Amino acid sequence: MMVQPIEVLLVEDDPGDVLMTKEAFEEHKVGNRLHVVSDGVEALRFLRREGEYTNAPRPHLILLDLNLPRKDGREVLEEVKKDDALAHIPIVVLTTSEAEEDILRSYRLHANAYVAKPVDFDQFIKVVRQIDDFFVTVVRLPRG
């Protein structure tokens, strides 16, 4: 079975985490396209195809950090899930927070998964690959 490449939007302000995520994608699934924005305002502009993002592809999956500048991940999650044009896009919260309140709130806001970022480089790469594998080979994603 030929797996179509998927468009992934990474919303992450930590350059180190962006680099590790890119490495995990490059080493693992060359076909998937990773797009990166560094704050919540840019994420919503990308998703709504505003300004410089008018030709942005519609992501099939969003990897979302919670602690972002300008507009945090919780606000982005809430806005995306309330927007009929975007609500179907699966969102994986990928964050350093292991606080129970963040986990509960993320699921209440309809996150599809909540993953705590490992601090260890190899574990981080492994986790990103597992997310990628799951959403690319196991889960059926909407194509629209």
Side-chain angles (χ1 to χ4, degrees):
M1 182 178 90
M2 176 69 181
V3 178
Q4 272 194 310
I6 65 167
E7 305 287 346
V8 179
L9 176 62
L10 173 64
V11 187
E12 173 61 68
D13 65 319
D14 182 313
D17 288 353
V18 169
L19 191 63
M20 285 193 290
T21 305
K22 281 182 176 177
E23 284 189 31
F25 269 76
E26 285 167 9
E27 288 177 24
H28 196 229
K29 288 257 189 314
V30 184
N32 294 346
R33 293 182 207 95
L34 186 66
H35 307 274
V36 181
V37 294
S38 60
D39 66 53
V41 171
E42 290 298 304
L44 292 168
R45 291 182 71 222
F46 184 99
L47 291 165
R48 293 176 178 147
R49 297 176 173 145
E50 296 171 349
E52 72 212 69
Y53 301 111
T54 50
N55 295 319
R58 176 74 74 213
H60 301 106
L61 175 65
I62 300 169
L63 302 178
L64 178 66
D65 187 21
L66 287 183
N67 303 309
L68 298 166
R70 299 207 297 164
K71 186 180 287 266
D72 81 6
R74 296 157 196 85
E75 294 171 283
V76 172
L77 179 58
E78 188 170 14
E79 284 192 45
V80 169
K81 292 302 181 178
K82 284 182 176 176
D83 186 326
D84 288 341
L86 305 172
H88 67 281
I89 303 171
I91 297 179
V92 174
V93 172
L94 184 61
T95 186
T96 52
S97 173
E98 294 190 48
E100 191 65 25
E101 66 192 71
D102 283 335
I103 297 168
L104 279 170
R105 184 166 177 209
S106 294
Y107 282 118
R108 281 191 188 116
L109 294 172
H110 307 289
N112 297 83
Y114 189 101
V115 179
K117 290 180 196 170
V119 285
D120 172 76
F121 175 78
D122 292 330
Q123 280 301 110
F124 186 96
I125 296 282
K126 188 176 174 185
V127 163
V128 170
R129 286 181 182 163
Q130 287 171 336
I131 293 168
D132 188 40
D133 264 347
F134 181 69
F135 280 94
V136 173
T137 59
V138 179
V139 173
R140 292 284 314 253
L141 294 172
R143 289 271 166 201

